[in-house]
DNA sequence: AAATGAATGTGATCTATGTCACAGTTTCTA
DNA sequence: TAGAAACTGTGACATAGATCACATTCATTT
């Protein structure tokens, strides 16, 4: 059950068996069925989530009712609303399973404890967040400097598995365009260049 | 000279005088005149920078020659290209002083050493990066869900000092619009609503 | 197996923002 | 202090992408 998490953590830093055994005690396993939510807008984000199996998405809904996807989380990824998790403030995000999923949850208290007692985890999360920041900065600059088609092509290369497993209107929402626009982009790619 | 950095760090975590004295030895003070660069596209980002005084901007230039500003760094902020700094790969960013500035620089080697020897700094940077990630995620979602005018109004509230000190075409570039569009938004705000 | 809802495609039209061009003003700098 | 950059504004026009509307196919659920 924790094999996958352990492997992921050890890809980044080195943690002894004892340290990891301790870490295990702080996580809560949970199964989440397709179309069920682990976080809904307005409630505080109690857990940070590691995805053992399945696929989550986190998204906001704007005043017009449009969804905007912040992140897809496949196996081996983390999910949650960092701000709400840290502050206890109500979240602006919804986190939904797009497939039947198996998750490992950790509360703020346990997380604080883990970082305090096992400094290697402080380092692990620093690196995790760092890589996330780098990727998010790139995505932001990409929305300024590239067309919707270029962003779609890039996503096809970088996350082919996400594209396979997720409906197109969600890909569109992740790219920051409407489903109609993505549909036209796709038919254009299919026909011509 | 290090008073400001010390204060900033102590706002977040607590570091003893001894620890901070050690940290000081790892930073290199540098003055950078207006319009001079501390990083240019194509070269590796050798330093992460703390701004003691002045104002920096980091930006990329796309294929069409348009600039896109990732960040303004005022007094008390950090600047650099995280990816290039960590990997040694050539940077895609330029970092330029918009005013005569006083900086504290730290190399990757010294930074690694600092995080290794003073765990409080590992924590400090984790929190710093975490807050940066939260802000960047918000900015990204904002570009998807709000108009250029809304983003400008929000920036006026959040960073009035940046707006005061930076030319409008750079504000436009930060917001992801052209200078002409921002100019029209401003005259519209001035006249009507 | 039927029925409901989710997902996708596509045409017609609209709009926010980009592009290009020129002019006036301010700020460096030699 | 003169000349050159940098900065800002504004008009005319172009365009990527949004909106709205409808049809079809696919997947779930009872």
């Amino acid at each position: 059950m924790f094999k996958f998490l352990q492997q992921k953590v050890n890809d980044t830093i080195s943690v002894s068996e004892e340290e990891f055994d301790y870490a295990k005690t702080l996580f809560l396993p949970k199964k989440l069925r397709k179309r069920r939510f682990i976080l809904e807008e307005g409630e505080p984000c109690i857990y940070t989530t590691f995805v053992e199996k399945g696929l989550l998405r986190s998204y906001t809904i704007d005043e017009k009712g449009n969804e905007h996807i912040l992140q897809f989380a496949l196996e081996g990824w983390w999910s949650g609303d960092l701000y709400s998790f840290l502050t206890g403030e109500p979240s602006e995000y919804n986190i939904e399973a797009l497939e039947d999923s198996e998750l490992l949850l950790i509360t703020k208290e346990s997380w604080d404890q883990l970082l305090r007692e096992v400094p290697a985890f402080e380092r692990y999360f620093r690196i995790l967040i760092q890589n996330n920041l780098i990727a998010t900065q790139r995505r932001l600059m990409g929305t300024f400097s590239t067309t919707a088609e270029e962003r779609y092509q890039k996503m096809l290369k970088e996350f082919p598995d996400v594209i396979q497993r997720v409906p197109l209107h969600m890909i569109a929402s992740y790219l920051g365009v409407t489903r109609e626009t993505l549909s036209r982009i796709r038919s254009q790619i299919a026909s011509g260049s």
Side-chain angles (χ1 to χ4, degrees), chain A:
Chain A
M1 162 117 257
F2 286 88
K3 275 281 172 304
F4 193 31
L5 175 58
Q6 184 161 22
Q7 180 206 311
K8 274 282 169 182
V9 170
N10 272 308
D11 284 352
T12 310
I13 52 161
S14 59
V15 190
S16 68
E17 282 297 325
E18 294 73 38
E19 286 172 329
F20 196 81
D21 283 344
Y22 171 67
K24 279 186 199 173
T25 67
L26 300 171
F27 283 90
L28 175 71
K30 178 175 173 77
K31 297 196 178 197
L32 190 68
R33 304 210 45 199
K34 188 170 177 173
R35 270 172 238 276
R36 295 286 159 75
F37 289 77
I38 191 149
L39 173 66
E40 284 183 84
E41 189 176 346
E43 64 186 37
C45 178
I46 304 292
Y47 303 110
T48 281
T49 302
F50 179 81
V51 181
E52 282 267 314
K53 194 161 178 314
L55 172 50
L56 306 181
R57 67 160 174 156
S58 46
Y59 66 97
T60 52
I61 301 178
D62 67 24
E63 314 81 52
K64 290 188 202 156
N66 296 318
E67 294 178 359
H68 303 283
I69 296 182
L70 176 65
Q71 190 210 24
F72 295 109
L74 296 167
E75 292 86 2
W77 290 70
W78 294 82
S79 186
D81 174 358
L82 207 45
Y83 178 75
S84 174
F85 183 72
L86 294 169
T87 63
E89 294 289 308
S91 179
E92 291 163 14
Y93 291 95
N94 302 277
I95 303 182
E96 179 194 13
L98 299 182
E99 300 174 359
D100 292 347
S101 300
E102 293 171 24
L103 313 174
L104 296 173
L105 311 180
I106 187 167
T107 62
K108 178 70 165 30
E109 292 64 40
S110 297
W111 189 71
D112 282 341
Q113 202 175 319
L114 179 60
L115 301 208
R116 211 180 317 116
E117 314 222 336
V118 190
F121 272 93
E122 175 84 49
R123 167 167 292 243
Y124 171 69
F125 280 104
R126 195 257 299 159
I127 293 169
L128 193 74
I129 291 167
Q130 210 171 60
N131 291 332
N132 198 334
L133 176 59
I134 290 167
T136 306
Q137 287 178 341
R138 286 201 173 136
R139 193 171 155 210
L140 177 66
M141 292 293 102
T143 65
F144 289 163
S145 60
T146 60
T147 62
E149 173 170 353
E150 289 170 313
R151 276 176 272 148
Y152 178 64
Q153 296 273 21
K154 193 174 177 195
M155 194 177 173
L156 269 178
K157 276 189 198 156
E158 271 183 84
F159 305 109
D161 37 356
V162 173
I163 307 251
Q164 289 305 319
R165 291 161 65 177
V166 165
L168 288 171
H169 71 270
M170 292 188 190
I171 305 292
S173 158
Y174 180 86
L175 293 173
V177 296
T178 57
R179 54 180 201 82
E180 292 94 335
T181 294
L182 181 58
S183 178
R184 281 183 254 267
I185 285 169
R186 280 164 47 86
S187 65
Q188 201 181 315
I189 290 173
S191 72
S193 133

